[in-house]
Amino acid sequence: MALLCNDAINVENKEIGDPTEIALVNLGEIYELDELVIREQYPRLSEVPFDSDRKLMSTSHKFKNKYTMVTKGALDVLLARATKLETSEGIKELTEEHKKEIEKVNRGFSMSGLRVLSFAYKEIVEGKELTLEDEQDLIFVGLIAMIDPPRDESKDAVGRCIEAGIKPVMITGDHKITASAIAKQIGILKDESEAMEGFELEKISDEELKNR
């Protein structure tokens, strides 16, 4: 699923595409799965591209005799749209207890500075052109966590900025916990209360932002 709901390729040692998607392709290679072979085996029939507001991407494929939509994206968004859970014992209803356990695993990854993607799917009818409305009633599959480490020179650069009286600010699309862990590593963040999410920024005035 991570190779199908994905536009990146790695051909002749040339990585082409979004770095996060390239990481998924490289993960496939560890398990001897070639993204081009997989995509030829299960061609993409329809798609809803990723966008940063929705934080999701969906593609449809034919697996055996079933048509399936695969969705990847941010856990908070995807989990809110999932109603079932795939387990080693089959598909079960996704309970609040399951959600808490999944969120706990995600929090553990994020606190280690890992970027986390989640995956889900559902059966669709043959010939279905995917729309935004289809990204509901999903079957949750799991999480993939990856490291996106800061460059070695980042900490030194931040230190020199602070010595010069410049206050560095980090802006990222990563989960708040992941972003905080990275910001601490490079010396930008000391107090966790300084980290803010987009919806918090939208609610405060320019004056409040300046004070923060």
Side-chain angles (χ1 to χ4, degrees):
M1 290 183 179
L3 298 179
L4 291 172
C5 192
N6 187 327
D7 293 322
I9 57 172
N10 189 349
V11 183
E12 297 176 355
N13 294 322
K14 286 186 180 177
E15 297 176 335
I16 303 167
D18 174 80
T20 300
E21 292 195 329
I22 288 168
L24 296 176
V25 167
N26 291 340
L27 176 65
E29 289 181 359
I30 293 172
Y31 293 96
E32 298 182 353
L33 295 171
D34 186 306
E35 74 279 6
L36 298 180
V37 172
I38 297 289
R39 290 171 195 169
E40 188 174 347
Q41 192 174 357
Y42 307 107
R44 185 179 300 185
L45 306 173
S46 179
E47 69 179 293
V48 184
F50 174 83
D51 78 58
S52 55
D53 291 330
R54 199 170 95 259
K55 297 182 181 177
L56 295 174
M57 174 183 177
S58 294
T59 57
S60 65
H61 311 267
K62 185 180 180 183
F63 296 117
K64 297 177 182 174
N65 295 318
K66 294 179 180 178
Y67 290 84
T68 303
M69 179 184 79
V70 179
T71 301
K72 85 165 188 288
L75 178 67
D76 54 345
V77 179
L78 191 142
L79 203 55
R81 296 166 185 245
T83 54
K84 293 185 172 64
L85 172 71
E86 182 160 300
T87 76
S88 57
E89 298 160 359
I91 295 169
K92 297 183 176 181
E93 289 297 316
L94 182 65
T95 65
E96 285 303 314
E97 285 304 307
H98 289 138
K99 287 185 178 182
K100 285 177 184 174
E101 184 61 30
I102 292 164
E103 286 165 348
K104 181 181 174 184
V105 172
N106 178 61
R107 196 159 47 248
F109 284 144
S110 298
M111 289 176 74
S112 300
L114 299 177
R115 175 176 293 173
V116 185
L117 276 178
S118 56
F119 295 83
Y121 72 96
K122 75 173 184 182
E123 281 187 38
I124 56 171
V125 297
E126 181 179 351
K128 171 81 172 137
E129 279 292 322
L130 297 182
T131 67
L132 296 177
E133 285 69 41
D134 293 311
E135 294 175 332
Q136 303 289 345
D137 300 318
L138 303 174
I139 301 167
F140 183 83
V141 179
L143 305 170
I144 294 179
M146 62 196 79
I147 187 72
D148 185 13
R151 296 186 180 188
D152 291 340
E153 61 267 29
S154 299
K155 190 170 185 178
D156 183 47
V158 167
R160 282 186 287 156
C161 283
I162 292 169
E163 282 175 20
I166 300 166
K167 182 175 182 181
V169 175
M170 187 172 103
I171 303 172
T172 173
D174 280 348
H175 189 282
K176 182 177 175 179
I177 299 173
T178 305
S180 296
I182 296 291
K184 279 182 176 176
Q185 287 176 33
I186 60 177
I188 285 179
L189 185 71
K190 301 223 168 17
D191 180 353
E192 296 227 357
S193 68
E194 292 180 303
M196 298 177 71
E197 295 197 67
F199 75 88
E200 296 174 89
L201 278 173
E202 288 170 8
K203 287 179 181 175
I204 66 174
S205 67
D206 290 350
E207 190 61 31
E208 284 177 286
L209 177 59
K210 186 180 173 184
N211 291 337
R212 287 290 291 268

